[in-house]
Amino acid sequence: MQPTHEMFDITIIGGGPVGLFTAFYAGLRQAKVKIIESLELLGGQPAHLYPEKIIYDIPAYPAITGEVLTSQLITQLERFYTSFCLGEEALELERCMDDQGKPYFVLTTTKGQHYSRTVIIAAGNGAFRPRKLNLEQAESYEANNLHYYVNNLKQFENQRVAVCGGGDSAVDWALTLEPIAKKVYLIHRRDEFRALEHSVQRLRQSQVEILTPYVPSKLIGQDNHLQAIEITKARTDESQLLELDHFIVNYGFTSTIGQLKNWGLNLHRNAIQVDSHYQTNIPGVFAVGDIADYDGKVKIIATGFGEAPLAVNHALHHIAPDKAVPHLHSTSLFEDSSH
């Protein structure tokens, strides 16, 4: 059967750093590329979980934030047209043949179907979602000033901010916000924090008001805008009211490979086993980044960046086995190499 929908050479599942660089290299190879990302924004975990935190193991960058890294990768990718499908989670994969006997895939997501000659999975640890606050009306405030991750620090300038959580992320956000916000509270259900000792020491020396052992017990607001929270001391009826402008809940995130586990892929501890070409046991389906597993794998972003070109080259070889892989030097590809 000849597919009637738009066909892509490579469809990349995952719009994190490795997925973005995979798309860029595919653009260098003049492939027709699509990215499918489960979140509404690109950048993956570095952009959503720690946009303002420093990453130290990106080549040529002694230090770079998750937000800047994402911005740079997107700017790099803008040289080439890439189709983006955001807010879509991959559900099913079907391998088909066209009238010329050439294989292709029909990829079904939460929003529709996509057609591609090959698929490269760059989904990191899988689709991830925040552990949400289990209180009445919490969902109604999420579009305004109840946050599960932070993308823009400016919105907290001279504001009263409460952070809830006891791990590294919660402590780091409280410390980051202290010089920006008018007032910062850190609420945790235990007296002891799980964060690094150095961070906890800085916290106790800061102006952040530590409220332990307390848990949020009630949300108070109007017109879907949160105005105050009630917090209750653990194992007591003692409570107090905090008026605030923003509430950041940092209970961590859950990640799952979702329906990918039903695709017939060889899995090892929720990672996809690949060969030396980064191809899975399904011909035409490749995996790179943290979700790819092989002996000696080092799970850092730089490893995924190195895997991407090889996976792209072998994906294109899968499409056209008789076509030689060119030796690419990026400096010779653009007339103006200064951009």
Side-chain angles (χ1 to χ4, degrees):
M1 178 180 177
Q2 192 68 24
T4 56
H5 294 73
E6 185 177 9
M7 181 69 70
F8 286 78
D9 296 319
I10 298 173
T11 294
I12 299 165
I13 300 175
V18 174
L20 291 170
F21 186 69
T22 303
F24 168 74
Y25 190 83
L28 286 179
R29 291 294 316 275
Q30 298 184 320
K32 187 176 181 181
V33 184
K34 172 182 286 186
I35 290 179
I36 296 175
E37 166 58 49
S38 62
L39 296 177
E40 296 291 343
L41 297 170
L42 296 168
Q45 293 191 26
H48 292 85
L49 299 190
Y50 41 92
E52 300 292 336
K53 291 184 70 175
I54 303 298
I55 305 170
Y56 296 99
D57 55 7
I58 303 298
Y61 287 97
I64 189 170
T65 67
E67 181 181 26
V68 173
L69 176 63
T70 298
S71 176
Q72 295 282 62
L73 286 164
I74 292 173
T75 299
Q76 183 183 43
L77 183 54
E78 286 174 353
R79 283 190 176 275
F80 309 109
Y81 172 75
T82 304
S83 178
F84 296 104
C85 299
L86 305 180
E88 296 192 40
E89 187 172 344
L91 300 178
E92 299 176 3
L93 186 71
E94 180 183 3
R95 192 169 187 267
C96 305
M97 291 286 182
D98 63 19
D99 292 343
Q100 285 75 46
K102 294 181 178 179
Y104 68 94
F105 294 95
V106 179
L107 180 62
T108 302
T109 70
T110 47
K111 292 186 178 179
Q113 290 187 321
H114 306 268
Y115 293 73
S116 188
R117 293 293 179 186
T118 62
V119 174
I120 298 180
I121 303 170
N125 293 317
F128 68 99
R129 300 177 180 84
R131 291 189 176 96
K132 295 193 174 185
L133 192 63
N134 186 23
L135 286 179
E136 188 177 352
Q137 295 186 318
E139 188 173 347
S140 65
Y141 298 119
E142 289 173 7
N144 291 307
N145 57 338
L146 171 58
H147 313 276
Y148 293 105
Y149 39 74
V150 177
N151 292 317
N152 178 17
L153 282 177
K154 290 184 178 180
Q155 66 186 315
F156 303 109
E157 287 182 356
N158 298 316
Q159 302 285 295
R160 299 164 299 176
V161 184
V163 180
C164 194
D168 285 304
S169 293
V171 172
D172 286 348
W173 280 125
L175 291 170
T176 300
L177 290 167
E178 184 210 359
I180 298 169
K182 179 192 297 184
K183 177 68 177 179
V184 178
Y185 302 96
L186 181 57
I187 305 161
H188 184 40
R189 61 194 176 101
R190 295 190 179 96
D191 288 318
E192 299 299 322
F193 291 90
R194 302 186 309 277
L196 292 172
E197 291 85 350
H198 174 68
S199 298
V200 175
Q201 182 181 9
R202 286 180 56 210
L203 174 70
R204 298 196 186 280
Q205 294 170 349
S206 74
Q207 297 300 310
V208 173
E209 185 171 340
I210 301 170
L211 296 168
T212 61
Y214 281 92
V215 293
S217 50
K218 186 178 181 180
L219 303 177
I220 301 163
Q222 189 175 3
D223 299 328
N224 295 331
H225 190 86
L226 186 62
Q227 297 170 323
I229 60 171
E230 178 190 79
I231 60 173
T232 301
K233 198 166 189 177
R235 297 177 295 279
T236 74
D237 294 328
E238 180 185 335
S239 64
Q240 60 177 290
L241 199 66
L242 295 181
E243 294 184 354
L244 48 76
D245 301 298
H246 292 274
F247 188 27
I248 301 170
V249 177
N250 201 302
Y251 287 162
F253 284 73
T254 61
S255 63
T256 174
I257 63 170
Q259 296 302 311
L260 271 66
K261 64 179 179 293
N262 299 322
W263 288 9
L265 298 163
N266 288 340
L267 301 175
H268 179 250
R269 295 180 180 176
N270 276 340
I272 301 169
Q273 294 184 300
V274 296
D275 62 17
S276 59
H277 295 170
Y278 303 102
Q279 185 167 233
T280 71
N281 58 300
I282 301 176
V285 178
F286 301 79
V288 293
D290 283 357
I291 202 164
D293 180 62
Y294 51 85
D295 287 344
K297 175 65 177 265
V298 178
K299 290 192 174 185
I300 60 174
I301 295 173
T303 299
F305 287 165
E307 294 166 352
L310 292 169
V312 168
N313 285 341
H314 289 297
L316 294 177
H317 179 73
H318 178 83
I319 296 171
D322 298 330
K323 187 175 180 179
V325 176
H327 296 286
L328 290 177
H329 295 283
S330 61
T331 52
S332 64
L333 293 177
F334 308 110
E335 291 183 1
D336 182 2
S337 61
S338 64
H339 289 78

